[in-house]
Amino acid sequence: MSDTLDLAIDLISRQSVTPEDAGCQKLMMQHLARLGFRSEVLRFADVDNFWARRGDEGPVFCFAGHTDVVPTGPVERWRSDPFRPEIRDGKLYGRGAADMKGSLAAMVTATERFLAHHPRHRGSIAFLITSDEEGPSVNGTVKVVELLEARGEKIDWCLVGEPSSDVHLGDVAKNGRRGSLGAVLTVKGVQGHVAYPHLARNPVHDAAPALAELAATEWDRGNAFFPATTFQISNIQAGTGASNVIPGSCEVMFNFRYSTETTHEQLRSRVEAVLDRHGLDYAIDWTLSGLPFLTPDGELVDAARHAVRDVAGIDTRLSTAGGTSDGRFIAPTGAQVLELGPLNATIHKIDECVGVDDLDRLSSMYERILKRLLT
């Protein structure tokens, strides 16, 4: 049992289904207090967050992450209780093992070892931890960042512990993310009897050609860092449930994951132009969940590459694929942001797990990144 494995088991044992924290942050702050960190508990609405910092000078290196986890799904389908961590065949099983309580444990133990060898490091080390990453993400990291910005407290480098790896620990690091723009489109019609369509107007029929055009549109071709922007319909609802009633309205949910080649304003304008051209009677509610961001080669990327090569003997591939992360709230402040964490093969799944050896190796990677940047 290593210190990292021990702490990971303690964190996974706490049922912190979003937005609950279940004492995870208190446990982390107790460890950090022994290392000389000053922690601020920052609760917004029903969300627990904390900001901890050791040092008063810059540059500021920040570990960022979340203690909340997604629901377990059917517990009976798990081979073991998702909140009673179990080691089998060299893997630690439990909800949050990979996303991202294993990373949180690695962050803390890496910091402990680094400070034991470098108590007078340059700059500052910080932790920004939330319990609202898997949920709406409105009272978590974004609120803490707003507070830090208001008082002029800047993060220079931010390492997010999201599970970035593909086949081997450290083979992929995320140096950016696509933007996310969602919408709920309501197409209005006239309800009526299916036998008398001339007395009604079917909003599903009206919407179909426009939706087909949107689905077939090339929004951009991406660039060297980002894949092409994608449009996906995630839900369509209409009708009363009766087979002989023409619906009076149709609701369509869709989402863009977009590159830096396109802005959210351009996407909105192009979509609405298509809807108008098809003569739809509609209302649309847009939600911008995150802007795209990119961290180019620099000190943080370089430090991570060296750390992965030293520990795992492989070269890291930079990627901007995947969903959103809380890095989208930190990058706009000017910080270099990078995501480096365990394998993502089992995240959000039944029997989520992380390699036991990977936990210690990840902690070693984090320690080497600290050493490269702050000594």
Side-chain angles (χ1 to χ4, degrees):
M1 293 285 286
S2 70
D3 290 343
T4 308
L5 177 60
D6 226 9
L7 181 53
I9 288 173
D10 201 346
L11 289 169
I12 296 166
S13 300
R14 299 163 190 260
Q15 299 188 33
S16 56
V17 177
T18 190
E20 296 298 324
D21 169 67
C24 293
Q25 293 181 22
K26 181 179 179 181
L27 177 63
M28 293 182 67
M29 286 187 283
Q30 288 171 345
H31 280 261
L32 295 174
R34 294 194 288 268
L35 302 175
F37 280 80
R38 305 182 307 276
S39 295
E40 297 177 67
V41 175
L42 302 169
R43 185 173 174 84
F44 301 104
D46 60 347
V47 174
D48 290 307
N49 312 278
F50 80 83
W51 167 255
R53 179 167 174 171
R54 185 185 192 274
D56 298 311
E57 304 296 326
V60 176
F61 175 91
C62 176
F63 284 115
H66 61 90
T67 54
D68 60 321
V69 298
V70 296
T72 63
V75 175
E76 64 275 10
R77 291 180 56 194
W78 287 69
R79 287 185 59 192
S80 54
D81 189 315
F83 294 111
R84 290 185 181 176
E86 185 174 294
I87 298 173
R88 299 192 302 272
D89 301 322
K91 295 180 180 179
L92 175 64
Y93 287 82
R95 176 57 85 221
D99 190 11
M100 55 174 287
K101 291 181 176 180
S103 297
L104 296 179
M107 292 172 182
V108 172
T109 58
T111 303
E112 288 172 342
R113 291 194 309 277
F114 173 75
L115 292 176
H117 292 98
H118 306 283
R120 298 184 182 278
H121 61 86
R122 76 186 187 103
S124 300
I125 305 173
F127 280 73
L128 195 170
I129 308 297
T130 183
S131 65
D132 185 37
E133 197 275 346
E134 300 289 9
S137 299
V138 296
N139 288 308
T141 299
V142 63
K143 289 287 181 66
V144 178
V145 169
E146 288 172 358
L147 177 65
L148 296 176
E149 286 288 285
R151 64 192 192 194
E153 200 166 354
K154 288 287 188 180
I155 297 169
D156 295 280
W157 304 300
C158 182
L159 186 63
V160 185
E162 291 291 347
S164 64
S165 303
D166 186 10
V167 178
H168 303 287
L169 178 68
D171 61 358
V172 176
K174 302 291 180 68
N175 67 323
R177 293 280 191 162
R178 293 173 294 175
S180 177
L181 176 66
V184 177
L185 168 68
T186 302
V187 179
K188 303 170 187 176
V190 177
Q191 184 173 312
H193 197 294
V194 297
Y196 302 94
H198 59 288
L199 300 178
R201 190 175 76 251
N202 194 320
V204 178
H205 294 186
D206 288 350
L211 296 178
E213 180 175 339
L214 293 173
T217 297
E218 180 182 81
W219 304 95
D220 61 45
R221 297 184 178 181
N223 54 37
F225 300 101
F226 290 91
T229 292
T230 61
F231 167 90
Q232 286 294 315
I233 296 171
S234 54
N235 199 5
I236 298 178
Q237 297 185 60
T240 64
S243 63
N244 60 352
V245 179
I246 293 172
S249 66
C250 174
E251 184 178 276
V252 183
M253 297 178 64
F254 60 83
N255 180 268
F256 284 100
R257 294 302 166 100
Y258 67 100
S259 76
T260 49
E261 293 295 304
T262 305
T263 67
H264 63 95
E265 294 95 346
Q266 289 172 329
L267 292 173
R268 290 178 58 163
S269 177
R270 291 178 66 183
V271 167
E272 291 175 10
V274 170
L275 301 177
D276 291 340
R277 187 167 64 253
H278 284 270
L280 300 186
D281 182 4
Y282 71 93
I284 190 165
D285 183 21
W286 294 96
T287 300
L288 179 64
S289 300
L291 297 168
F293 71 90
L294 179 72
T295 295
D297 284 340
E299 302 97 339
L300 182 57
V301 169
D302 185 60
R305 279 178 164 150
H306 279 85
V308 171
R309 193 175 299 119
D310 290 346
V311 175
I314 60 176
D315 291 326
T316 294
R317 175 172 61 86
L318 298 179
S319 171
T320 61
T324 60
S325 79
D326 276 1
R328 69 189 189 273
F329 303 125
I330 301 167
T333 69
Q336 295 178 32
V337 177
L338 190 71
E339 299 173 25
L340 177 63
L343 273 64
N344 55 30
T346 64
I347 60 174
H348 294 205
K349 292 184 177 181
I350 302 294
D351 289 335
E352 178 182 353
C353 63
V354 64
V356 171
D357 290 342
D358 281 354
L359 289 174
D360 288 325
R361 296 198 301 155
L362 182 62
S363 181
S364 295
M365 290 176 185
Y366 289 168
E367 181 186 2
R368 281 170 168 76
I369 292 171
L370 284 169
K371 182 178 179 180
R372 193 169 186 90
L373 293 174
L374 296 182
T375 61

